[in-house]
Amino acid sequence: MKMTQTFIKTLREAPKDEIAQNGALLTRAGYIHKELAGVYDFLPLGLRVIEKIKSIIREELNAIGGQEVLLSSLQNPELWEKTGRFSDQEVDIWFKTEVVGGGTLGLAPTHEEPITNLLKTYISSYKDLPLSVYQFQTKFRNEKRAKSGILRGREFLMKDMYSFHATEEDLDKYYAEVEKAYARIFERIGLTETYKTFASGGIFSKYSHEYQTFLPVGEDTVYYNADKSVVLNKEVLEPEVLEDLGVKREELAETTAAEVGNIFKLKFKYSEPLGLKFIDENNAQKNVYMGCYGIGVSRVMGVIAEKFADEKGLVWPEAVAPFKVYLVGIGEAGTAKAREFYAEHEDEILFDDRDARPGEKFADSELIGLPLRVVISDRTLAEGVAEVTERKTGETHKVALDKLVEIL
Ligand code: ATP
Ligand code: MG
């Protein structure tokens, strides 16, 4: 992508009302634009990060048999009344809207009810099970606090997956597969300091699990023991739980974290009230076992921005960087050579072809935070090299021009 052909514009100052570091940096660097508190637009650079995160998640979920769908945002209250969840007393973050001609609709904050209802058409026998479906979908939640940039949106992108099983054993088996897939996802995305934590399980299971990334500005508090690889949420610090997990209270240290995902064994919580049943091998009618598995895709982007940023700007892990290389040409011959390199590898390069001083381009390259900056100047050209600077370490080394393609 060429800078002169995009509307990316870096800003020296963050908007005054943007107090969260992720929101401020992502806005200044041209990744997002704020519409309202908790409501953001994703610009070309930001969308590329989102798409890269989605691709990694998609690959890992397809590998465990997930089928991708896209459900609607507008919701029929009658469906949610069956589980009691249309009530504002029960779920206090609904956005509801009046329909022309009468009636109310809701904007989906999550999708357990619609997916369970939808699958009544497609699941009737044990032969239809197991089944796992997922989507990347915009959720709407009327959050009270929306001051954390894209960490907490009123409109945000979630990956939500739901699985359906004939037996509890099969649900347990799939849940364990999802745990492995989640570990691979967070590792690949670059959020290696993400831990599966024990959280309370609700009425149907002992524990649910959250995925928490250690982060100074995270909203959650977790308790961990690195030696025993145990991480717990505040709500499960009960003596029986500690005994169950083999840790003592005094062996746990406290830290802050951001919840980037969570997984639940729902069992019959939704299948029962919504009537999702199947006929087993012996012709008996039974409730379908369910699990649900979320990842906050836009929050993940914000967590990455927060976690790796330094005083100069953003620092993207390579797997989710919008481009691998920020390319700068200096001088007439250097710029011509840079243009040539860009033309051959457009997909991986953000080419700063603006008519601006090198110092300004260098500062923007640091703010935008791509893994590598490549500078080709008249001087480096005379040596037959380009200067390649790693954003993470700030280290620069020379690479022969005929070997430059190898850094991509
Ligand atoms: P939180 O405790 O942070 O409000 P939650 O328990 O309400 O999260 P879920 O309903 O399980 O979260 O949603 C699945 C995932 O979506 C969460 O793990 C989180 O990463 C993300 N998420 C939830 N609410 C928001 C939000 N308002 N903005 C951005 N991401 C969110
Ligand atoms: Mg919430």
Side-chain angles (χ1 to χ4, degrees), residues 141 143 151-153 156 158 259-262 296 299:
R141 294 186 182 183
E143 302 276 4
L151 296 184
R152 185 169 294 284
F156 64 96
M158 191 200 287
E259 183 193 317
V260 287
N262 60 22
R299 178 179 290 179

Side-chain angles (χ1 to χ4, degrees), residues 188-258:
R188 284 182 65 188
I189 284 174
L191 284 180
T192 47
E193 251 192 322
T194 301
Y195 301 95
K196 187 187 85 177
T197 74
F198 290 85
S200 68
I203 47 173
F204 283 106
S205 62
K206 202 164 176 186
Y207 303 116
S208 66
H209 297 97
E210 290 178 351
Y211 285 79
Q212 295 277 3
T213 308
F214 287 4
L215 188 70
V217 300
E219 289 178 359
D220 295 356
T221 302
V222 296
Y223 298 83
Y224 69 99
N225 181 301
D227 298 336
K228 296 187 177 168
S229 296
V230 171
V231 192
L232 304 168
N233 290 22
K234 203 180 209 132
E235 50 178 8
V236 289
L237 280 180
E238 309 290 325
E240 316 83 77
V241 176
L242 295 179
E243 196 181 320
D244 194 21
L245 299 175
V247 281
K248 298 198 175 74
R249 177 66 189 86
E250 60 273 18
E251 293 170 342
L252 294 168
E254 188 181 299
T255 191
T256 53

